[in-house]
Amino acid sequence: MNPYVLTTLLSSLGLGTTLTFASSHWLLAWMGLEINTLAIIPLMAQHHHPRAVEATTKYFLIQATAAAVILFAGTANAWATGEWSMANMSDPVATTMVLAALSLKVGLAPMHFWMPEVLQGLDLLTGLVLSTWQKLAPFALIIQTSQAFDPLLLTALGLTSTLIGGWGGLNQTQLRKVLAYSSIAHMGWMVIILQYAPHLTFLALLMYILMTSAAFLTLKLSYATKIGTLATTWSKTPLLTATAALVFLSLGGLPPLTGFMPKWLILQELAKQGLPFTATIMALAALISLYFYLRLCYSMTLIISPNTAASTTPWRTQTTQVSTPLALFTVMALGLLPITPAVTALLI
């Protein structure tokens, strides 16, 4: 892609997200979401592969639908209350529509069906942008309007997403689909705690972005898109294989890695709020997710691939890919648990 065009598109991505962050007016927020969607469409379709074009079309239709519903809900709320402000969401129908539309945008279950299919059609770098940056603007709106939502509805969305994210990833062999279901499960953790401790939602989102970035960049460096390909990585890059296995375990929330921090604090807060049953279901759902991360680690570290004839020959040449971002994200995805007290003090 032309570097000038790429710069324009990435700037538009940043602009759309910043616009939504800064807005307290529904029209301005809708405009930011639309700029965001239109900026990523050319990045998704840049390879002109049929699967990429299909994924782009699906993504565009889903995001356009969600944006239209948000605009309609904002208009309905303005009609009922006389103002466009997000702070005054008193119309119950408009509030429910906004939550449904934002859930569709971030891929919360049961509005998650587009996410694995779209991610599967993209290359790993665009998939990384879709899984991390594209979640920021809708989540900013969810956090801003969270007090207007029905608590029971948020709890149901969180539990459903965590369970479906765990179950859906169990039988997948495509790594991008595994990471899509991982994303759905993590979104559930963020939403379930939103009504009680929004700062923990922000912390969980930040940690999810760090760990997912490390996972995507690792797969990109090792040219792996299927579980079978992971079995050949240990002979090429043993150190990368070791850190990749730890990154996947961190995504699963295993102590003493960074991924344990948000899960630990969220379960603690749910117990404080007098919801031990909800906390138990969430902990058990985390175990389901952990199983498929362990499956990836098993494939990477304990399997010797029987033959590599069907896959691209992994020549032992020096890679031209930049590995500095990967090193940075991997360190943060593995070693931030000891600073939990400092993080909680900063957030609270």
Side-chain angles (χ1 to χ4, degrees), residues 15 297 316 329 339:
L15 173 69
C297 296
R316 294 170 182 272
F329 281 118
I339 64 163

Side-chain angles (χ1 to χ4, degrees), residues 33-335:
L33 291 172
E34 284 295 276
I35 292 170
N36 220 342
T37 303
L38 292 174
I40 201 173
I41 293 294
L43 294 173
M44 293 170 75
Q46 64 181 315
H47 295 297
H48 305 295
H49 189 276
R51 294 207 64 164
V53 174
E54 183 190 335
T56 308
T57 310
K58 284 177 181 173
Y59 182 76
F60 174 73
L61 291 172
I62 290 289
Q63 297 298 311
T65 305
V69 173
I70 287 171
L71 190 59
F72 181 71
T75 311
N77 188 66
W79 184 271
T81 61
E83 57 181 59
W84 285 88
S85 171
M86 288 182 200
N88 187 14
M89 290 291 292
S90 54
D91 185 33
V93 177
T95 309
T96 309
M97 284 172 68
V98 164
L99 182 58
L102 291 172
S103 301
L104 184 61
K105 268 201 170 288
V106 295
L108 272 167
M111 281 78 83
H112 68 284
F113 295 102
W114 62 272
M115 182 86 182
E117 298 302 321
V118 167
L119 209 58
Q120 179 58 30
L122 305 177
D123 65 300
L124 288 164
L125 213 51
T126 318
L128 167 60
V129 175
L130 186 72
S131 301
T132 54
W133 187 263
Q134 291 298 93
K135 306 281 187 195
L136 293 176
F139 244 98
L141 295 180
I142 290 174
I143 291 171
Q144 278 189 65
T145 52
S146 61
Q147 297 312 311
F149 299 142
D150 181 11
L152 195 63
L153 193 57
L154 283 175
T155 305
L157 274 174
L159 285 172
T160 312
S161 295
T162 318
L163 287 165
I164 286 181
W167 281 113
L170 287 180
N171 63 341
Q172 299 298 332
T173 57
Q174 298 287 341
L175 296 175
R176 283 166 292 188
K177 281 193 176 179
V178 167
L179 287 168
Y181 281 108
S182 159
S183 172
I184 294 162
H186 278 90
M187 293 297 123
W189 280 90
M190 292 170 215
V191 165
I192 196 125
I193 201 64
L194 184 60
Q195 55 203 313
Y196 308 111
H199 62 276
L200 287 184
T201 297
F202 177 71
L203 175 69
L205 181 60
L206 187 63
M207 293 304 150
Y208 160 75
I209 287 172
L210 291 179
M211 294 182 295
T212 305
S213 300
F216 268 103
L217 291 171
T218 301
L219 297 179
K220 183 176 176 290
L221 200 68
S222 53
Y223 300 101
T225 53
K226 296 191 288 289
I227 286 187
T229 320
L230 288 179
T232 64
T233 53
W234 68 270
S235 59
K236 294 183 289 176
T237 49
L239 187 60
L240 185 68
T241 304
T243 56
L246 290 171
V247 165
F248 285 128
L249 291 176
S250 184
L251 268 168
L254 205 68
L257 303 165
T258 302
F260 180 59
M261 185 203 297
K263 288 187 169 60
W264 167 31
L265 294 173
I266 288 169
L267 290 175
Q268 190 179 25
E269 185 63 33
L270 286 172
K272 274 186 195 170
Q273 296 290 340
L275 298 163
F277 185 64
T278 307
T280 306
I281 295 174
M282 292 298 285
L284 291 173
L287 287 178
I288 303 173
S289 296
L290 184 60
Y291 174 78
F292 66 74
Y293 293 122
L294 281 170
R295 187 163 157 240
L296 296 183
C297 296
Y298 177 75
S299 300
M300 290 187 83
T301 55
L302 295 171
I303 284 183
I304 297 175
S305 185
N307 66 318
T308 54
S311 59
T312 311
T313 309
W315 298 107
R316 294 170 182 272
T317 52
Q318 288 295 317
T319 180
T320 54
Q321 295 187 59
V322 181
S323 57
T324 313
L326 170 60
L328 188 66
F329 281 118
T330 302
V331 168
M332 288 193 284
L334 300 184

